C-alpha cells in the first residue's frame, strides 16, 4: 500500500513561520491535581528495561478522553490513574471550563511472582469504550471493567480479568479497546522473549495480542479474576507506537511488522551472558562507553586516546541534555571519536553538582574521560543513560555495568580491539560513536514506522502494510473525532523537510491513503525542539509540539499551521501552566468547548486547559 503525494498541496514558495503568541492570561487555565498527583516513576524500576520499552514509556500518554453520547452534553469527561493507583475522572464544564475531580476506583495493589516481577509492569491505562463505560489496565496483566454512575461520582465494577500466558499473569500494555457485539476486544503488547544473537547482542521480541472480554457478567466476575480469551497473537521486534480500531480491523503503526510467533523461532536460545565479560567478540568493537549508577548519581566512562590534550575535550552538562565533543588528534586518528550534540538524557541531572575528569593513564594507549552525573531525582533507577531513538546500528542502549569495578575494563577491551584491527589491515575501522554523529538537522525527527491493517478477530492482514515512513505526528485523541475534523487514522508523514498530512483508509480494501494537507518545513522546525515529548496534529488545523518540562522549567506548546499556498504561516507558542514545580507533561487530549477545540494537558501536579489554541 503506497502513499501518493499530491504535488498541488506542496508549497515550494514557503518562506517561514510567523510567530503569533497565544495570550496566556486569557487562554491558559490551571487547576491543581487532587491527592498526590501523578509520577513517571509509578512502575517498578527493579527490572531491566530494553530500549524499546524505555521509548514506549517515554511516549506514553497518561490522559484518556471519555466518549460522549451527544455533542450537546454539558460537560466533558476524561480519566487517568494517579500515582497511588486511583482511577480519577476529570469533569470539565464546557461553558466556563470549570474543572472538578472524582476518584471512582482504586486498583488493588497486587503481589506478583518473581517471574512476573522480572518483566516489569507497564503504566496503567484507561480507555473509554462507551459513554460511562471504561476499561482499566493496571499494567501487570489485570483488567477492570467499570460502569460510571450517571451522577459521575462513583463507579460499579462489572468484571475483572487476567491476561494469562503459560499459566502466569503477564504484564502488558493496553493500546486500544472497542466494543464488538457482546464483548470488548482489546489490543495489548507484552515482552515475549529475550535471546542472544551470534554476536551476543540481546535480541528482544514483543507480542501483540487481541483479547476478548464478555459484556455479559455474572456475580463471580466482580469477586474473582477470569482469564481473558486470547483471540490471536503475533510477534515482532518493537512495541506499537499507535493503534486504532475501526470497521472490524486494527490499524497498527510500529517500526516492524508482526508475524505468527512460529516465524521467530529458531533452534534454541543462546545463553545469556554478563555485560561485563572481559573479552569482546572478535572483530566487534566494544560499546562507546560504560556506565554504572547508585541511588543518587551515575558514572559514565568514555575511552579516548591517551594522547588527547584536555583542551581538546569539550563537555557541557545541561539539566536534560549532554554534549561531548573531542577534537580529533593526530595520533590514533583512524579511531572515530564519540560526539554527542545535545543528546537527551533519560532523566534530569543536577548540573551544578555534576563534573567530569580526564585521566590519560600514563603510558597506556587509552585514557578515560569520566563523567559524574548527580541525579535530580534521588532513588530513580535509570534504565539507560540516553533517551535515544533506535537506529539500525544501535537498537539497544549500552547496558549498565552492575559491578562498578568492572566498568573500567572498557579501556582494555578497546585496546584489545584496536590491536586486532592493526593486525588485520583489511578490517573495517570501528565507529565508537555509531549512530551518534550529527546528521542533517531535519533527519533527527520522526519515527520510522510501517502501517499494518489486521482483522480484529483473526489477526489476518486485511491489506499489505505500507512502506516504512518517517511519522512526525499522530492524531490528537478527541471525544468527537468525526465532528472535530481529526481523523483517528491520519498521520503526518515526513517528505524532505515538510510534514504531509495523510488520511488513512477505514476499509483498506476499498480506500487508499490520501494526502489532504501540508505543514511546510515541519520536520525542520521540529528538529530544533530538544525537549519534545508529544507531537500531535489536529487535522488540517495545526501540528502541535509539546515539551516535557521538568523541575526547573514548565513545558511549552508550539503550534504550526498550513500555509495554504502562502509564503508565511502562523506559529503559536504558549507556556503550559506554571513553572517546573508542577512537574513534567504526562498526557494531552482535546475536548470540544463553546469556542472550539480545547487542549487538555496533564502534568504531574496540575491540569492545564488551553482555549483557543488553533
Amino acid at each position: 500500500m503506497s502513499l501518493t503525494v499530491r504535488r498541488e498541496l506542496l508549497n515550494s514558495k514557503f518562506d517561514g513561520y510567523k510567530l503569533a503568541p497565544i495570550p496566556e492570561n486569557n487562554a491558559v487555565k490551571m487547576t491543581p491535581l487532587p491527592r498526590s498527583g501523578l509520577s513517571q516513576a509509578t512502575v517498578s524500576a527493579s527490572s531491566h528495561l530494553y530500549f524499546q520499552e524505555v521509548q514506549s514509556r517515554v511516549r506514553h500518554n497518561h490522559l484518556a478522553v471519555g466518549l460522549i453520547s451527544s455533542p450537546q452534553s454539558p460537560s466533558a469527561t476524561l480519566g487517568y490513574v494517579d500515582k497511588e493507583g486511583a482511577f480519577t475522572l476529570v469533569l470539565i464544564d464546557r461553558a466556563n471550563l470549570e474543572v472538578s475531580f472524582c476518584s471512582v476506583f482504586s486498583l488493588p495493589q497486587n503481589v506478583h511472582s518473581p517471574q512476573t516481577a522480572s518483566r516489569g509492569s507497564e503504566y496503567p491505562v484507561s480507555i473509554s469504550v462507551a459513554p460511562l463505560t471504561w476499561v482499566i489496565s493496571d499494567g501487570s496483566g489485570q483488567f477492570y471493567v467499570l460502569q460510571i454512575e450517571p451522577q459521575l461520582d462513583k463507579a460499579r465494577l462489572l468484571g475483572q480479568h487476567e491476561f494469562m500466558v503459560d499459566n502466569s499473569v503477564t504484564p502488558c500494555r493496553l493500546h486500544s479497546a472497542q466494543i464488538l457485539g457482546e464483548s470488548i476486544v482489546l489490543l495489548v503488547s507484552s515482552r515475549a522473549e529475550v535471546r542472544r544473537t551470534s554476536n551476543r547482542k540481546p535480541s528482544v521480541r514483543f507480542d501483540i495480542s487481541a483479547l476478548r472480554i464478555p459484556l455479559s457478567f455474572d456475580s463471580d466476575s466482580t469477586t474473582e479474576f477470569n482469564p481473558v480469551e486470547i483471540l490471536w497473537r503475533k510477534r515482532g521486534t518493537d512495541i506499537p507506537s499507535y493503534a486504532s480500531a475501526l470497521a472490524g480491523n486494527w490499524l497498527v503503526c510500529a517500526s516492524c511488522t508482526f508475524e505468527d510467533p512460529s516465524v521467530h523461532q529458531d533452534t534454541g536460545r543462546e545463553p545469556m551472558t554478563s555485560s561485563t565479560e572481559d573479552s569482546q567478540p572478535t572483530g566487534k568493537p566494544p560499546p562507546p562507553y560504560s556506565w554504572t549508577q547508585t541511588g543518587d548519581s551515575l558514572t559514565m566512562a568514555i575511552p579516548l586516546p591517551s594522547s588527547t590534550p584536555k583542551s581538546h575535550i569539550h563537555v557541557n552538562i545541561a539539566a536534560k541534555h549532554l554534549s561531548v565533543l573531542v577534537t580529533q588528534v593526530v595520533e590514533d586518528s583512524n579511531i572515530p571519536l564519540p560526539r554527542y550534540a545535545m543528546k537527551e538524557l533519560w532523566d534530569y541531572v543536577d548540573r551544578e553538582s555534576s563534573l567530569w575528569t580526564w585521566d590519560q593513564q600514563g603510558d597506556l594507549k587509552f585514557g578515560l574521560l569520566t563523567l559524574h552525573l548527580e541525579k535530580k531525582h534521588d532513588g530513580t533507577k535509570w534504565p539507560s543513560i540516553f533517551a535515544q531513538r533506535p537506529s539500525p546500528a544501535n537498537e539497544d542502549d549500552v547496558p549498565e555495568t552492575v559491578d562498578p569495578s568492572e566498568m573500567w575494563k572498557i579501556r582494555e577491551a578497546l585496546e584489545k580491539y584496536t590491536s586486532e584491527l592493526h593486525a588485520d589491515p583489511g578490517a573495517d575501522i570501528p565507529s565508537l560513536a555509531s549512530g551518534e554523529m550529527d546528521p542533517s538537522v531535519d533527519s533527527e525527527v520522526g519515527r520510522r514506522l510501517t502501517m499494518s491493517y489486521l482483522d480484529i478477530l483473526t489477526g489476518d492482514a486485511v491489506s499489505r502494510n505500507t512502506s516504512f515512513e518517517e511519522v512526525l505526528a499522530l492524531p490528537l485523541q478527541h471525544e468527537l473525532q468525526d465532528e472535530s475534523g481529526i481523523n483517528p487514522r491520519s498521520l503526518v508523514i515526513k517528505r524532505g523537510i515538510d510534514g504531509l498530512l495523510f488520511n488513512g483508509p477505514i476499509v483498506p480494501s476499498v480506500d487508499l491513503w490520501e494526502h489532504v494537507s501540508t505543514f511546510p518545513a515541519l520536520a525542520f522546525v521540529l528538529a530544533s525542539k530538544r525537549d519534545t515529548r508529544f507531537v500531535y496534529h489536529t487535522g488540517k488545523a495545526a501540528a502541535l509540539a509539546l515539551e516535557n518540562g521538568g523541575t526547573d522549567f514548565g513545558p511549552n506548546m508550539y503550534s504550526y499551521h498550513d500555509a495554504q499556498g502562502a509564503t508565511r504561516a502562523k506559529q503559536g507558542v504558549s507556556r503550559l501552566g506554571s513553572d517546573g514545580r508542577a512537574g513534567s507533561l504526562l498526557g494531552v487530549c482535546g475536548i470540544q468547548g463553546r469556542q472550539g477545540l480545547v487542549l487538555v494537558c496533564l502534568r504531574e501536579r496540575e491540569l492545564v486547559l488551553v482555549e483557543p489554541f488553533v
Side-chain angles (χ1 to χ4, degrees):
M1 184 180 295
S2 61
L3 280 66
T4 303
V5 177
R6 294 173 57 189
R7 295 195 174 276
E8 66 270 21
L9 295 180
L10 302 181
N11 188 352
S12 61
K13 299 180 180 180
F14 183 74
D15 188 50
Y17 285 97
K18 182 179 180 180
L19 181 63
I22 298 173
E24 296 183 21
N25 292 337
N26 299 328
V28 180
K29 179 180 177 62
M30 298 162 284
T31 306
L33 296 184
R35 297 163 63 97
S36 55
L38 279 82
S39 171
Q40 298 183 84
T42 53
V43 293
S44 173
S46 60
S47 60
H48 176 76
L49 295 179
Y50 291 89
F51 176 72
Q52 298 95 321
E53 294 168 316
V54 173
Q55 285 295 87
S56 178
R57 296 188 184 199
V58 169
R59 298 190 297 259
H60 183 73
N61 192 338
H62 294 253
L63 185 62
V65 64
L67 299 179
I68 58 176
S69 56
S70 169
Q72 285 71 45
S73 62
S75 63
T77 304
L78 304 97
Y80 67 89
V81 179
D82 70 14
K83 68 186 299 184
E84 295 180 355
F87 174 58
T88 302
L89 291 179
V90 183
L91 309 177
I92 303 176
D93 188 287
R94 299 186 195 277
N96 53 25
L97 298 186
E98 289 297 322
V99 178
S100 60
F101 302 90
C102 185
S103 176
V104 296
F105 182 75
S106 293
L107 297 175
Q109 301 300 312
N110 298 312
V111 178
H112 300 291
S113 66
Q115 293 83 358
T116 302
S118 66
R119 301 186 184 186
S121 296
E122 294 286 346
Y123 282 127
V125 175
S126 55
I127 295 180
S128 174
V129 294
L132 304 180
T133 304
W134 291 75
V135 175
I136 315 296
S137 166
D138 69 353
S140 66
Q142 296 179 336
F143 304 92
Y144 305 86
V145 182
L146 303 180
Q147 182 70 37
I148 309 300
E149 297 295 336
Q151 295 78 15
L152 304 177
D153 57 350
K154 56 185 177 180
R156 181 166 61 97
L157 178 63
L158 298 180
Q160 48 190 12
H161 302 265
E162 291 179 324
F163 177 39
M164 304 287 291
V165 177
D166 296 331
N167 297 318
S168 176
V169 180
T170 301
C172 61
R173 174 177 174 177
L174 176 60
H175 293 274
S176 182
Q178 183 187 51
I179 291 180
L180 191 65
E182 297 299 319
S183 61
I184 303 174
V185 182
L186 318 174
L187 184 71
V188 303
S189 65
S190 58
R191 188 195 300 176
E193 59 182 359
V194 179
R195 295 175 289 178
R196 291 285 178 176
T197 60
S198 57
N199 62 1
R200 290 184 172 179
K201 188 175 183 179
S203 175
V204 60
R205 297 290 186 267
F206 299 93
D207 284 346
I208 58 170
S209 305
L211 315 178
R212 181 157 57 189
I213 297 174
L215 273 176
S216 55
F217 301 105
D218 53 36
S219 59
D220 292 336
S221 298
T222 59
T223 58
E224 297 179 357
F225 282 96
N226 298 306
V228 298
E229 179 187 358
I230 302 177
L231 297 175
W232 53 263
R233 183 173 60 191
K234 289 183 176 292
R235 186 160 297 175
T237 58
D238 201 5
I239 299 170
S241 295
Y242 181 71
S244 166
L246 286 173
N249 63 75
W250 302 103
L251 167 64
V252 179
C253 304
S255 65
C256 67
T257 57
F258 293 90
E259 301 170 321
D260 292 334
S262 58
V263 175
H264 292 268
Q265 293 178 356
D266 57 13
T267 56
R269 299 185 183 183
E270 297 182 46
M272 300 291 288
T273 58
S274 170
S275 61
T276 60
E277 195 166 351
D278 293 2
S279 61
Q280 297 288 333
T282 302
K284 296 294 181 181
Y289 59 86
S290 61
W291 70 286
T292 189
Q293 66 180 312
T294 63
D296 57 6
S297 66
L298 300 100
T299 302
M300 179 181 182
I302 305 174
L304 299 175
S306 57
S307 59
T308 306
K310 189 174 182 179
S311 60
H312 287 198
I313 302 174
H314 307 278
V315 179
N316 181 39
I317 303 173
K320 192 67 165 59
H321 296 85
L322 175 67
S323 297
V324 178
L325 174 63
V326 182
T327 306
Q328 187 73 59
V329 294
V330 176
E331 186 177 349
D332 298 312
S333 60
N334 62 333
I335 304 296
L337 299 175
R339 177 172 179 166
Y340 303 95
M342 286 295 291
K343 190 72 175 176
E344 184 181 3
L345 298 169
W346 188 83
D347 198 4
Y348 291 89
V349 299
D350 185 347
R351 58 181 303 180
E352 300 298 329
S353 303
S354 302
L355 53 91
W356 62 274
T357 60
W358 168 231
D359 184 359
Q360 291 181 290
Q361 297 295 322
D363 58 351
L364 295 179
K365 189 173 183 179
F366 292 95
L368 283 177
L369 171 63
T370 306
L371 283 68
H372 303 275
L373 307 177
E374 293 292 324
K375 296 179 180 178
K376 192 74 173 180
H377 306 117
D378 291 354
T380 301
K381 183 177 176 64
W382 289 32
S384 61
I385 288 283
F386 297 116
Q388 63 187 36
R389 295 181 177 89
S391 66
N394 187 19
E395 291 183 0
D396 298 288
D397 202 359
V398 177
E400 178 187 0
T401 302
V402 179
D403 184 356
S405 65
E406 296 285 315
M407 68 178 297
W408 317 113
K409 292 186 177 182
I410 188 173
R411 183 180 61 245
E412 285 79 5
L414 182 59
E415 191 144 353
K416 175 183 177 182
Y417 178 79
T418 55
S419 297
E420 294 177 353
L421 181 68
H422 292 308
D424 181 9
D428 293 333
I429 295 175
S431 175
L432 301 184
S434 177
E436 302 300 338
M437 302 301 290
D438 287 341
S440 61
V441 66
D442 61 299
S443 66
E444 297 182 354
V445 297
R447 297 172 237 163
R448 186 172 172 80
L449 308 176
T450 181
M451 283 63 80
S452 304
Y453 283 86
L454 306 175
D455 186 274
I456 283 185
L457 297 179
T458 67
D460 295 336
V462 178
S463 69
R464 295 186 61 183
N465 60 288
T466 68
S467 58
F468 283 86
E469 303 284 352
E470 296 287 340
V471 177
L472 298 178
L474 299 173
L476 178 72
Q477 60 167 325
H478 191 278
E479 59 184 348
L480 293 170
Q481 296 285 2
D482 295 334
E483 288 81 357
S484 69
I486 306 174
N487 185 330
R489 292 193 166 177
S490 55
L491 304 169
V492 177
I493 305 294
K494 179 176 177 288
R495 283 291 188 275
I497 63 171
D498 294 337
L500 278 55
L501 177 63
F502 282 87
N503 281 342
I506 304 302
V507 182
S509 60
V510 176
D511 304 314
L512 300 174
W513 286 85
E514 181 186 7
H515 177 201
V516 296
S517 184
T518 298
F519 298 105
L522 181 63
F524 182 82
V525 295
L526 289 180
S528 66
K529 306 296 183 291
R530 294 295 180 181
D531 190 40
T532 303
R533 177 153 194 167
F534 302 112
V535 183
Y536 291 114
H537 71 80
T538 61
K540 297 181 181 180
L544 309 175
L546 301 107
E547 293 179 333
N548 179 70
T551 56
D552 298 324
F553 54 91
N556 291 319
M557 178 198 70
Y558 301 89
S559 60
Y560 302 96
H561 301 255
D562 186 349
Q564 298 181 343
T567 59
R568 309 280 286 184
K570 186 176 76 171
Q571 171 190 349
V573 60
S574 177
R575 175 76 68 179
L576 295 177
S578 55
D579 59 21
R581 287 173 293 183
S584 300
L585 178 67
L586 298 183
V588 59
C589 66
I591 63 170
Q592 198 66 27
R594 296 303 185 193
Q595 300 181 31
L597 203 57
V598 178
L599 191 71
V600 184
C601 302
L602 182 66
R603 297 178 63 184
E604 290 179 278
R605 287 173 286 278
E606 183 177 73
L607 190 79
V608 182
L609 306 183
V610 185
E611 180 198 38
F613 69 97
V614 295

